Amino acid sequence: MKKLLSILAAVTLLVSLAACGNNAGTPSSTEDSPNDVQTIGNDYITINGICVDDSYQDDDGSPLKLVYLFYTLNAGSENLQIDSNYTQLTIDGTNTYESEYYPDDASACFLAQNYYYSSYIEDLYTGTSIQVAATFKIPEADLEAGKTITLEDSQIPDTTGIELSTDDIQHFSSGEEIAQAMDPEGYAAEMELRTDADEATATQVKGMLNGYYWQFYVNNVYYELEFSAENNFELRTGIGTTSSGTYSVKKGYIFCTYPDTGYTVEIPYTITDGEIDLDVTSGFDVQG
């Protein structure tokens, strides 16, 4: 499993994008209103939106803003591979920025369930398509109105001619708002999985966790995660560190929270035939 304007305007945008068809191999665009992202693409790629989280503050106090690019990739007759890294975004033909996977910052991508966001390569076979998110950190001054945006990615054929404008960028007050606007169905599903489980389910899940431990490797580090009553956990690693905290049971996740920092690790789980499948690898993987 792979590890946040106006909402009305954003939903209207999605409807308008879905209704627009592109001529094969020919870039096309619509400009229904100044706030709409252009529908632009070709046989392989369609841009669904480009967004900025205005609430984002870089750790070192720099003027970098977190920019999200959402697109659909079509394999057509050619098998492709894709990830969320190494897409190049160039502004006014001068400054080029490369997408990276930001597990601690790109909250919108983890709530937009229908978009693939990962540093791992995903195979895309002929005749299929996938929705992908890519994230960039770009100085605020380079996002000013009236500038051109071009894209390039060695994994995507024929990005020549794909051109947007900084006028097409939508601004949001949080990553959550971005996810809700760009992927309303996926957002709703993810939010449901993150709500508290009912008492019976929580009791059942705790009975499957307490007194047990999981051993696993993630990013070349050995982990041992142990649960105990009532709702405690302890995490031990192969590099000699030990940490602990409390957990809570959600409908689709186990939230493990460290009391000193308030940081929460979200571990997906499912229950099948009376047994729990705890996806600890996804929960602790920092590469997606």
Side-chain angles (χ1 to χ4, degrees):
M1 175 174 178
K2 300 293 175 188
K3 320 168 261 153
L4 254 135
L5 205 207
S6 167
I7 298 303
L8 179 58
V11 172
T12 302
L13 163 64
L14 293 179
V15 173
S16 67
L17 293 182
C20 296
N22 293 331
N23 295 325
T26 304
S28 62
S29 65
T30 60
E31 298 182 53
D32 294 332
S33 77
N35 292 326
D36 284 348
V37 173
Q38 293 181 343
T39 304
I40 186 168
N42 55 29
D43 283 347
Y44 295 100
I45 182 174
T46 300
I47 306 302
N48 300 328
I50 183 167
C51 311
V52 173
D53 179 1
D54 289 329
S55 69
Y56 174 78
Q57 297 291 326
D58 198 51
D59 289 339
D60 61 5
S62 74
L64 295 176
K65 304 302 291 184
L66 187 60
V67 178
Y68 294 81
L69 177 69
F70 296 93
Y71 64 91
T72 300
L73 181 63
N74 301 293
S77 59
E78 179 180 358
N79 293 331
L80 301 176
Q81 293 182 320
I82 195 64
D83 58 22
S84 296
N85 288 340
Y86 310 123
T87 300
Q88 293 185 329
L89 185 155
T90 301
I91 296 181
D92 266 358
T94 302
N95 296 323
T96 297
Y97 306 94
E98 194 167 78
S99 66
E100 294 184 38
Y101 178 79
Y102 296 110
D104 294 328
D105 297 326
S107 55
C109 295
F110 303 108
L111 295 176
Q113 187 183 86
N114 292 317
Y115 279 87
Y116 183 74
Y117 183 65
S118 176
S119 62
Y120 295 115
I121 291 176
E122 178 79 359
D123 290 314
L124 183 62
Y125 296 108
T126 179
T128 63
S129 64
I130 188 173
Q131 294 190 116
V132 183
T135 48
F136 307 80
K137 291 186 178 180
I138 300 176
E140 190 169 12
D142 239 352
L143 302 175
E144 294 175 352
K147 297 184 179 184
T148 61
I149 299 175
T150 56
L151 303 171
E152 185 175 348
D153 191 315
S154 61
Q155 296 174 305
I156 303 174
D158 192 22
T159 54
T160 303
I162 304 294
E163 184 175 302
L164 298 102
S165 166
T166 51
D167 298 338
D168 299 319
I169 295 174
Q170 298 179 79
H171 289 261
F172 295 82
S173 62
S174 68
E176 185 173 342
E177 281 192 3
I178 292 175
Q180 189 174 10
M182 298 308 303
D183 184 18
E185 291 184 0
Y187 169 81
E190 277 298 319
M191 293 304 290
E192 177 68 13
L193 292 175
R194 286 168 165 77
T195 59
D196 290 338
D198 61 70
E199 185 176 353
T201 300
T203 299
Q204 178 188 24
V205 170
K206 287 181 179 182
M208 296 174 174
L209 296 179
N210 292 340
Y212 297 92
Y213 62 87
W214 278 255
Q215 298 172 317
F216 54 100
Y217 281 88
V218 176
N219 309 129
N220 298 317
V221 176
Y222 170 79
Y223 290 85
E224 187 173 277
L225 177 63
E226 184 173 5
F227 297 92
S228 60
E230 164 68 13
N231 59 338
N232 301 303
F233 75 89
E234 183 173 276
L235 182 69
R236 301 177 285 271
T237 72
I239 58 176
T241 62
T242 300
S243 54
S244 61
T246 59
Y247 75 88
S248 57
V249 181
K250 308 298 181 179
K251 290 183 178 180
Y253 289 88
I254 303 299
F255 278 15
C256 294
T257 302
Y258 299 94
D260 293 342
T261 63
Y263 182 77
T264 297
V265 176
E266 301 176 356
I267 307 175
Y269 78 91
T270 56
I271 297 177
T272 305
D273 297 329
E275 296 186 359
I276 191 168
D277 180 8
L278 193 63
D279 192 358
V280 288
T281 302
S282 293
F284 288 89
D285 193 348
V286 297
Q287 298 182 30

